[in-house]
Amino acid sequence: MAGGTRVLTVELGERSYPIYIGSGLIEETGKKFAEHGFPVKSPILLITDSAVEGLYAERVEISLRALGYTVSRAVVPSGESSKSLEMLDVLVEQALKAGLDRKSTVIALGGGVVGDLAGFVAASYMRGVRFVQIPTTILAHDSSVGGKVAVNHRLAKNIIGAFHQPEFVLYDLNTLASLPAREVKAGLSEVIKHGLIWNEDFVAWCDENAEKLLGLEPDALGYALYEGCKVKSTVVSRDERENDLRAILNLGHTIGHALEAVAGYGQLLHGEAIAIGMVGAARLAAKFGYSADIAETTERIFRKFGLPVRIPDDCATDEIMGAMLHDKKFAEGKMVFVVPTSIGSVEIRNDVPSAWVTEIVDGLREGKSQS
Amino acid sequence: MAGGTRVLTVELGERSYPIYIGSGLIEETGKKFAEHGFPVKSPILLITDSAVEGLYAERVEISLRALGYTVSRAVVPSGESSKSLEMLDVLVEQALKAGLDRKSTVIALGGGVVGDLAGFVAASYMRGVRFVQIPTTILAHDSSVGGKVAVNHRLAKNIIGAFHQPEFVLYDLNTLASLPAREVKAGLSEVIKHGLIWNEDFVAWCDENAEKLLGLEPDALGYALYEGCKVKSTVVSRDERENDLRAILNLGHTIGHALEAVAGYGQLLHGEAIAIGMVGAARLAAKFGYSADIAETTERIFRKFGLPVRIPDDCATDEIMGAMLHDKKFAEGKMVFVVPTSIGSVEIRNDVPSAWVTEIVDGLREGKSQS
Ligand SMILES: NC(=O)c1ccc[n+]([C@@H]2O[C@H](COP(=O)([O-])OP(=O)(O)OC[C@H]3O[C@@H](n4cnc5c(N)ncnc54)[C@H](O)[C@@H]3O)[C@@H](O)[C@H]2O)c1
Ligand SMILES: NC(=O)c1ccc[n+]([C@@H]2O[C@H](COP(=O)([O-])OP(=O)(O)OC[C@H]3O[C@@H](n4cnc5c(N)ncnc54)[C@H](O)[C@@H]3O)[C@@H](O)[C@H]2O)c1
Ligand SMILES: [Zn+2]
Ligand SMILES: [Zn+2]
C-alpha cells in the first residue's frame, strides 16, 4: 500500500492487459503508447464528453504529441443519452475524417458513458481497432475491467455492443478531484460491492477508511480502486463471456435496476440505486437463514459513505415489482437474485419467492405514504 | 463429386463450423437446429430481403416450427442500401419485440447483403448471439466463410462491423434457381477467383464445366461452391484477422473496387468489376516477367462465363486512378497489388509503379473515345 503507481493485470490469455493506477498518469499517455509499441504513423481518436473535455483533454493530447503521435478530438454531450447508434455514426465519421486506419487507437477519456461508447466505436470501426481507457470517474473502475462495451436502444439499455478488451487502462487519480461529491459516493458504492461479493477484509478496510476515500486521499483511493478492479478481474478472468460466475457481479442490481427505471433515469444514480439494492439482497439473506448481521453491516457501511439505503417514497412497490418482471428475472413466481451468505461471499438463488421480494421492497421505505 | 450433401468444415479452433452444401437443405433447417443443440425455448429471428422473402422464408419457418422452434420474420429492402446503422436499429427493435435472448439465433436468409447485415445484428445484439447463414446467391459463398460482417457508413463501405463466425451455413442449391442470370455469372466470378489464387486444377475444372455451372447443374454447382469455399476457408484458417495471407483474397479487387466506384455503385456488379480487375492483375504479372499466358487464360475463361473483361468507355482512366489513390493502396508512387505468378498462385507486390497501372487501365478498353 505504498505510494506510486499500482499495476493490475487483467488475465485474459492473449487479451490480457494492465490497469495502471496512480497520480499524474495522463501526463504519461504518450510514454505509455510508446511503451506498448503503438505505431506513431496511425492517427489516434480521443473521445471525451463535454464535461471532461475542458479539464483533461489537452493534457492527454500534449503528452501524445510530445511522443510524435497524431491525435484528433471528438466530444460528445455529457450524459447517458450519448450512448446511441446516432453517436456511433457521428464518431465513425470523425474517425474516417481523421484518417484512422486498422493500426489506429481509440481513447476513451471520461466516465462509463464515454468508455462504453468509445469502446463500441473501437470494437466496430474497421471491425476492431485498439482501445485505451482513461477513466475519470470512480464508477468507471467497474467498466474498465471486462471489456463490455455498448450503446443503448430506445427500448433497452446496453443492448447493442461487443466484448472488446482495452490494450491498457490509465487510471489517473488526479482526474477524480473534479468529480461532484455525489458521483464520488455513487462510484464507491460499486467498489464496496466488489468487496461484498468476494473479500471480507477489503470490506472491513473500506469501513475503516471511509473518510479517506470520501476525501479522495490518493493512496487510499488508489488501493481501493486496485482492490475493486482486482475482484472484478478475478471474476471476469474465470468467465469472460458471462456464462455463470460473472452473474455474481450483479449483487444489488435486480432491485437497483428496477429502482433506476421507476425513479426515472437520472433521479437515482446507478451507484445509489444498487446501494439500496444491496441492502435488499442482504435482507433476503436473512430470509434464507443467513445471519441478520449481514444486512446490518451492509446498511451501516453504506450510511457511513453517505449513500441511500431506503427506497424513495415516490417509487411504488407494484411499479418496482413490475420493472423486475420486465427484467425477465422471474420464472414461475420465483426470481433470480444474488444473495450474500456472509460479508465477502454470495450465492446465486433462482428460488426466491416473489412474495419475499415484495415484502423486502415494502420494508425498505422510511415513509409509508405510498402503497 | 457424387450427389448428396457436401460438408466443409471451416477450421477456426473453437469457432470452427460446418458449411452444408446440397439440394433441398432449407427444408431441413429445423432438423439442423436440433442437431446443433439449439434450445427450443429461445426465439429465432429470420432476417431476409424483399426479393427473397416470398420465395423461401416460409419454407424455412415451417421447417423450424415443425421442430418446436419459435421464429419471427424481419424483411429489409433488397439492395446494398439496407446495410446501414438505421437498419440495425430497426432490426434490434424487432429482435427485442420478438423476445430474443442470449441463447437466441439470428438467421440470414439471402445474399451477401442480408448476410453482412444480419451477421452484424447477431454480433452486436446483447453483445453477440448465435448466427446461421442460409445463402441464396453464388456470391454469398464468399461471405459465408470468414466471419466478416458489417454495415456501411455513407462515407465508406463495410466500415462498421465485426468478426462473428456463424454456427453453421446451410447452402441450398435449389434456392439459386431463381437468381437472375447476371447475378449467377457475377457470383461465379468470385468462385473462379478462388481457383486463380490457390488451385490450378480447379480453374481447369471450371473452364471445362462452364456450361454446367451457368446452367446451375446441381452436382457441378455443389462441387464449385465447395471448392470455392474451401480455398477461402484455407486462407482464413491461417489468418482469421486479416494480418497478411488473407490479403491474397483481394485478387482483382484493387482495380475492381475503383471501377465499381467510378461506374457508380450498381452499374457494374461486384463480380463483374473484379473479373475486369483480375484481367488487369494478370497483365501486371507479365510486366513483372511472369508468363503472358496467365493473362490470356484469365481473359478467355471470364469471356467463356459471359463476364466483362474490358473497362466501360464511360469510366475515365484518371478517375479510376483517383479512386485507387483514395483506396490508400499507394505509397510513394508505388501501389500494392495481388499479382498472379501462374494460374493458381499469386504474390503480393507493394512495388507496382503507378505508371504501369495507368498503362494497363488504358489498355483495358475496347473503345478509345475517353482518355
Ligand atoms: N462496461 C461496463 O462493464 C460497465 C460497468 C458499469 C457501468 N457501465 C456504464 O457506465 C455508465 C455510468 O458511468 P459513470 O457513472 O462514470 O457515468 P458518466 O460517464 O456519465 O459520468 C458521470 C458524470 O460525471 C461527469 N464526469 C466524468 N468524469 C468527470 C471528472 N473527472 N470531473 C468532473 N465531471 C466528470 C460526466 O460528464 C457525467 O456527467 C453507464 O452508462 C453504465 O451503463 C458500464
Ligand atoms: N462478408 C464477406 O466476407 C463478404 C464477401 C463478399 C461480399 N460481401 C458483401 O456481399 C454483398 C453482395 O452480395 P450479393 O451479391 O449476394 O448481393 P445481394 O445480397 O444484394 O443479392 C443480389 C440480388 O439478388 C437478390 N437475390 C438474392 N438471392 C436471390 C434468389 N435466390 N433469387 C432471386 N433473387 C435473389 C437480392 O435481393 C439482390 O437483389 C455486398 O454487400 C458485399 O459487401 C461480403
Ligand atoms: Zn453496476
Ligand atoms: Zn469480392
Side-chain angles (χ1 to χ4, degrees):
Chain A
M1 243 197 292
T5 299
R6 291 178 172 85
V7 187
L8 176 78
T9 302
V10 180
E11 301 288 354
L12 291 166
E14 54 177 29
R15 285 184 301 285
S16 297
Y17 64 90
I19 301 180
Y20 304 101
I21 304 172
S23 297
L25 291 180
I26 60 171
E27 271 82 16
E28 293 180 23
T29 311
K31 212 179 115 199
K32 282 279 177 282
F33 267 60
E35 275 173 28
H36 281 265
F38 290 13
V40 173
K41 270 191 185 172
S42 296
I44 295 162
L45 186 67
L46 175 73
I47 300 179
T48 187
D49 78 17
S50 51
V52 176
E53 180 196 13
L55 298 167
Y56 308 112
E58 202 172 338
R59 281 196 256 162
V60 172
E61 291 165 359
I62 286 173
S63 143
L64 284 163
R65 292 194 181 114
L67 272 287
Y69 290 96
T70 305
V71 52
S72 299
R73 188 190 299 182
V75 184
V76 303
S78 160
E80 184 72 25
S81 64
S82 283
K83 277 173 58 176
S84 68
L85 285 178
E86 291 71 28
M87 207 54 78
L88 171 67
D89 188 299
V90 169
L91 291 170
V92 166
E93 178 154 350
Q94 298 195 35
L96 282 165
K97 289 188 171 158
L100 265 73
D101 60 39
R102 293 175 46 204
K103 293 184 171 157
S104 283
T105 303
V106 171
I107 303 178
L109 172 70
V113 163
V114 166
D116 281 9
L117 171 65
F120 191 52
V121 173
S124 56
Y125 182 75
M126 293 186 164
R127 301 193 182 87
V129 295
R130 288 190 180 90
F131 178 42
V132 164
Q133 270 190 287
I134 308 186
T136 65
T137 67
I138 294 175
L139 195 127
H141 87 282
D142 191 12
S143 46
S144 69
V145 181
K148 280 187 173 184
V149 297
V151 297
N152 303 325
H153 187 278
R154 65 198 163 284
L155 298 182
K157 212 171 122 72
N158 292 331
I159 198 77
I160 305 169
F163 286 90
H164 192 63
Q165 307 295 343
E167 300 295 316
F168 62 86
V169 175
L170 218 53
Y171 221 135
D172 186 343
L173 302 170
N174 292 351
T175 65
L176 301 173
S178 52
L179 258 191
R182 195 175 162 195
E183 297 283 352
V184 169
K185 292 177 210 167
L188 288 170
S189 171
E190 290 269 13
V191 173
I192 297 164
K193 179 201 79 180
H194 287 125
L196 289 172
I197 62 176
W198 201 263
N199 185 339
E200 182 174 11
D201 292 345
F202 178 52
V203 176
W205 182 91
C206 288
D207 192 1
E208 280 162 35
N209 290 275
E211 213 172 314
K212 287 186 188 166
L213 289 173
L214 290 167
L216 302 177
E217 196 277 300
D219 199 52
L221 192 59
Y223 176 70
L225 292 174
Y226 177 89
E227 288 295 322
C229 289
K230 195 166 84 177
V231 169
K232 180 153 186 194
S233 164
T234 304
V235 172
V236 165
S237 297
R238 297 188 195 181
D239 178 20
E240 187 176 357
R241 288 251 163 187
E242 190 162 347
N243 295 311
D244 198 349
L245 182 65
R246 199 164 169 156
I248 69 172
L249 297 167
N250 290 326
L251 176 66
H253 283 59
T254 309
I255 293 176
H257 280 153
L259 287 177
E260 281 181 279
V262 172
Y265 281 105
Q267 292 307 104
L268 272 178
L269 295 180
H270 177 69
E272 295 170 346
I274 64 158
I276 303 167
M278 284 187 267
V279 174
R283 292 188 180 189
L284 262 182
K287 290 268 187 196
F288 280 108
Y290 297 112
S291 164
D293 291 353
I294 304 171
E296 273 164 44
T297 305
T298 303
E299 184 167 333
R300 187 180 53 70
I301 292 179
F302 285 127
R303 281 194 196 273
K304 193 164 179 181
F305 277 87
L307 283 159
V309 291
R310 289 290 178 275
I311 292 174
D313 272 349
D314 57 354
C315 297
T317 299
D318 53 356
E319 280 187 60
I320 297 168
M321 295 304 292
M324 282 190 262
L325 178 65
H326 187 78
D327 211 16
K328 301 251 174 60
K329 298 249 169 31
F330 274 104
E332 293 145 26
K334 306 283 187 196
M335 301 177 72
V336 180
F337 262 88
V338 184
V339 176
T341 55
S342 68
I343 297 290
S345 76
V346 292
E347 65 184 16
I348 301 191
R349 308 278 319 206
N350 59 7
D351 58 349
V352 181
S354 56
W356 288 6
V357 181
T358 310
E359 193 188 322
I360 280 167
V361 166
D362 255 334
L364 278 174
R365 297 177 185 287
E366 239 120 32
K368 289 269 178 187
S369 53
Q370 296 240 353
S371 83
Chain B
M1 244 199 291
T5 299
R6 291 179 173 84
V7 187
L8 176 78
T9 302
V10 180
E11 301 287 355
L12 291 166
E14 55 177 28
R15 285 185 301 287
S16 297
Y17 63 92
I19 302 180
Y20 304 101
I21 304 172
S23 297
L25 291 181
I26 59 172
E27 271 80 17
E28 294 179 23
T29 311
K31 212 179 114 199
K32 282 279 177 284
F33 267 60
E35 275 173 29
H36 281 264
F38 290 14
V40 173
K41 269 193 187 171
S42 296
I44 296 163
L45 185 67
L46 174 73
I47 300 178
T48 187
D49 78 18
S50 51
V52 176
E53 180 196 13
L55 299 167
Y56 308 113
E58 203 172 337
R59 280 196 257 161
V60 173
E61 291 165 359
I62 287 173
S63 143
L64 284 163
R65 291 193 183 116
L67 273 285
Y69 291 96
T70 305
V71 53
S72 299
R73 189 191 298 183
V75 185
V76 303
S78 160
E80 184 72 25
S81 64
S82 284
K83 277 173 60 176
S84 68
L85 285 179
E86 290 72 27
M87 207 53 79
L88 172 66
D89 188 300
V90 169
L91 292 170
V92 166
E93 178 154 350
Q94 298 195 36
L96 282 165
K97 290 187 170 158
L100 264 72
D101 60 38
R102 292 175 46 203
K103 293 185 172 159
S104 284
T105 304
V106 171
I107 303 179
L109 172 69
V113 163
V114 166
D116 281 9
L117 171 64
F120 192 51
V121 173
S124 56
Y125 182 75
M126 294 187 164
R127 300 193 183 87
V129 295
R130 288 191 180 90
F131 177 42
V132 163
Q133 270 189 287
I134 308 184
T136 65
T137 67
I138 294 175
L139 196 127
H141 87 284
D142 191 12
S143 47
S144 68
V145 182
K148 281 188 173 183
V149 298
V151 298
N152 303 325
H153 187 279
R154 66 197 163 286
L155 298 181
K157 212 171 122 70
N158 292 331
I159 199 77
I160 305 169
F163 286 90
H164 193 63
Q165 307 295 342
E167 299 295 316
F168 63 85
V169 175
L170 217 54
Y171 221 135
D172 186 342
L173 301 169
N174 292 351
T175 65
L176 302 173
S178 52
L179 256 190
R182 196 175 162 194
E183 297 283 353
V184 170
K185 292 178 209 166
L188 289 170
S189 171
E190 290 269 14
V191 173
I192 297 165
K193 180 201 79 180
H194 287 125
L196 289 172
I197 63 176
W198 201 263
N199 185 338
E200 182 174 10
D201 292 345
F202 177 52
V203 175
W205 182 91
C206 288
D207 192 2
E208 280 161 35
N209 291 274
E211 213 171 315
K212 286 186 188 166
L213 290 173
L214 289 167
L216 301 177
E217 196 277 300
D219 198 52
L221 193 59
Y223 176 70
L225 292 175
Y226 177 89
E227 289 294 323
C229 289
K230 195 166 85 179
V231 170
K232 181 153 185 193
S233 164
T234 305
V235 172
V236 165
S237 297
R238 298 190 193 179
D239 178 21
E240 188 176 357
R241 286 250 161 188
E242 190 162 345
N243 296 310
D244 198 349
L245 182 65
R246 200 163 168 158
I248 69 172
L249 298 167
N250 290 327
L251 176 66
H253 282 59
T254 309
I255 293 175
H257 280 154
L259 288 176
E260 281 181 278
V262 172
Y265 282 104
Q267 293 306 104
L268 273 178
L269 294 180
H270 177 70
E272 295 170 345
I274 64 158
I276 303 167
M278 284 187 266
V279 175
R283 291 189 179 187
L284 261 182
K287 290 269 188 194
F288 280 108
Y290 297 112
S291 165
D293 291 352
I294 304 170
E296 274 164 43
T297 305
T298 303
E299 183 167 332
R300 187 180 52 71
I301 293 178
F302 285 127
R303 281 193 196 274
K304 194 165 179 181
F305 277 86
L307 283 159
V309 292
R310 289 292 178 273
I311 293 174
D313 272 349
D314 56 355
C315 298
T317 299
D318 53 357
E319 280 187 60
I320 297 168
M321 296 304 292
M324 282 190 261
L325 178 64
H326 187 78
D327 210 16
K328 299 250 175 60
K329 297 250 169 31
F330 273 104
E332 293 145 25
K334 306 283 186 193
M335 299 176 73
V336 180
F337 261 87
V338 184
V339 176
T341 56
S342 68
I343 297 290
S345 77
V346 292
E347 65 184 16
I348 300 191
R349 308 280 318 207
N350 59 7
D351 59 348
V352 182
S354 57
W356 287 7
V357 182
T358 311
E359 194 187 321
I360 280 167
V361 167
D362 255 336
L364 278 175
R365 298 179 183 288
E366 239 119 34
K368 288 272 177 184
S369 52
Q370 296 239 355
S371 75

